Amino acid sequence: MAKEIHSTAIVSPTAQVEEDTIIGPFCIIGDNVHIRKGTRLISNIVVEGNTEIGEDCTVYPFTSIGLPPQDLKYKGEKTGLKIGKQNTIREYVTIHRASVSGDGLTTIGDNNFLMAYVHVAHDCKIGNSVIMANVATLAGHVSVGDYAVIGGLVAIHQFTRVGAYAMVGGFSGVGQDIPPYMIASGARVKLFGLNTVGLKRHGFSDSTINELKKAYKILFREKRTLKDAIKKIQEDLPYTDEIKHLIEFIQKNKRGICR
């Protein structure tokens, strides 16, 4: 199928719009934008900057993608935004290109679902199959691991990480890293155990879940420093891929770990 561009859409001559793409009414596509095949921009969408949107994405009305970062340090430098394939981006979402204090690129992986009014700030790194509910907000330099779920009205502080398969309950304020596989909630977010339901839905075995529960207890329920807790886990538990990932995530923290 040939690309379909509505007569009211404005598309820069330097933009790359691949075949099978639909650009709906009143969309504005700026210079150097690259929209890959099968993607549909429904209507009233602005895409600008050094931005790439992958294959088979659907973007809903009144969304802004690739606009300059909300960062006072930014003075118009060439930075970018890369969005993967098969993402659903709902109404009024804002996704900004990077600023000058990171690697120059805001990235979103594949198969993500960003609900209405989500904000993804400059230099964020979102993995694959992430769900962000309405009005979830990421400040600059936030990273979100694969299959994480972020509830509605959640605000996540700059440079904070949310681990893979973690779940953050709605109306939470996140100022420290949420380890992978965990569930967290609260105005000043706290851990509430393992994301057991989520792990079962994604096919984790009972034995793996039980080992992660033991690791959680050692890390966060026993009166140990993180260093001592990690040492005990390494000595007492099977060093599975999941345990290894959990420990490496904790060891790389810079803002502290939510307890």
Side-chain angles (χ1 to χ4, degrees), residues 49-176:
N50 183 27
T51 295
E52 177 182 324
I53 301 177
E55 297 179 4
D56 300 316
C57 294
T58 302
V59 185
Y60 283 77
F62 305 106
T63 289
S64 298
I65 297 175
L67 273 67
Q70 296 178 135
D71 184 350
L72 295 175
K73 297 188 298 298
Y74 182 75
K75 305 299 180 185
E77 295 87 352
K78 185 177 180 180
T79 59
L81 164 64
K82 185 173 183 179
I83 298 173
K85 61 186 179 182
Q86 297 175 342
N87 291 290
T88 299
I89 302 172
R90 294 301 304 250
E91 300 86 345
Y92 293 98
V93 169
T94 52
I95 307 171
H96 290 169
R97 64 182 185 262
S99 188
V100 293
S101 55
D103 63 0
L105 195 64
T106 302
T107 60
I108 296 177
D110 304 331
N111 301 299
N112 298 293
F113 185 18
L114 308 186
M115 299 186 194
Y117 292 94
V118 160
H119 175 62
V120 179
H122 59 88
D123 300 280
C124 286
K125 309 293 183 187
I126 296 178
N128 304 310
S129 300
V130 170
I131 297 174
M132 295 181 64
N134 301 67
V135 204
T137 300
L138 307 183
H141 302 274
V142 169
S143 70
V144 181
D146 296 347
Y147 297 98
V149 177
I150 299 174
L153 293 161
V154 169
I156 300 183
H157 195 280
Q158 294 96 324
F159 295 97
T160 301
R161 301 175 300 153
V162 177
Y165 298 95
M167 181 175 184
V168 183
F171 206 64
S172 295
V174 180
Q176 293 179 309

Side-chain angles (χ1 to χ4, degrees), residues 2-249:
K3 58 190 173 186
E4 179 181 322
I5 300 176
H6 194 272
S7 60
T8 61
I10 300 173
V11 180
S12 167
T14 65
Q16 299 179 62
V17 180
E18 295 186 2
E19 299 300 308
D20 301 333
T21 299
I22 298 174
I23 309 295
F26 304 108
C27 291
I28 301 175
I29 310 302
D31 297 340
N32 304 315
V33 170
H34 187 179
I35 301 175
R36 295 192 176 273
K37 65 180 182 180
T39 283
R40 180 187 179 198
L41 308 186
I42 293 178
S43 71
N44 299 88
I45 294 158
V46 176
V47 186
E48 68 170 49
N50 183 27
T51 295
E52 177 182 324
I53 301 177
E55 297 179 4
D56 300 316
C57 294
T58 302
V59 185
Y60 283 77
F62 305 106
T63 289
S64 298
I65 297 175
L67 273 67
Q70 296 178 135
D71 184 350
L72 295 175
K73 297 188 298 298
Y74 182 75
K75 305 299 180 185
E77 295 87 352
K78 185 177 180 180
T79 59
L81 164 64
K82 185 173 183 179
I83 298 173
K85 61 186 179 182
Q86 297 175 342
N87 291 290
T88 299
I89 302 172
R90 294 301 304 250
E91 300 86 345
Y92 293 98
V93 169
T94 52
I95 307 171
H96 290 169
R97 64 182 185 262
S99 188
V100 293
S101 55
D103 63 0
L105 195 64
T106 302
T107 60
I108 296 177
D110 304 331
N111 301 299
N112 298 293
F113 185 18
L114 308 186
M115 299 186 194
Y117 292 94
V118 160
H119 175 62
V120 179
H122 59 88
D123 300 280
C124 286
K125 309 293 183 187
I126 296 178
N128 304 310
S129 300
V130 170
I131 297 174
M132 295 181 64
N134 301 67
V135 204
T137 300
L138 307 183
H141 302 274
V142 169
S143 70
V144 181
D146 296 347
Y147 297 98
V149 177
I150 299 174
L153 293 161
V154 169
I156 300 183
H157 195 280
Q158 294 96 324
F159 295 97
T160 301
R161 301 175 300 153
V162 177
Y165 298 95
M167 181 175 184
V168 183
F171 206 64
S172 295
V174 180
Q176 293 179 309
D177 293 351
I178 307 297
Y181 316 116
M182 305 300 174
I183 189 167
S185 188
R188 288 293 180 263
V189 72
K190 297 179 181 180
L191 295 185
F192 286 89
L194 211 62
N195 183 17
T196 306
V197 173
L199 295 178
K200 287 181 177 179
R201 286 176 178 171
H202 289 294
F204 285 76
S205 67
D206 289 341
S207 61
T208 296
I209 292 172
N210 287 334
E211 295 302 330
L212 286 170
K213 284 181 177 179
K214 293 175 184 177
Y216 173 85
K217 183 177 179 181
I218 294 169
L219 283 164
F220 303 115
R221 295 303 183 192
E222 297 180 3
K223 294 181 179 180
R224 299 176 182 273
T225 65
L226 283 176
K227 183 178 180 180
D228 289 342
I230 289 171
K231 182 179 179 181
K232 182 173 176 58
I233 289 170
Q234 292 171 326
E235 291 173 349
D236 294 357
L237 298 181
Y239 207 56
T240 62
D241 289 342
E242 291 79 15
I243 296 292
K244 180 181 178 182
H245 179 59
L246 174 61
I247 289 174
E248 288 179 348
F249 181 95

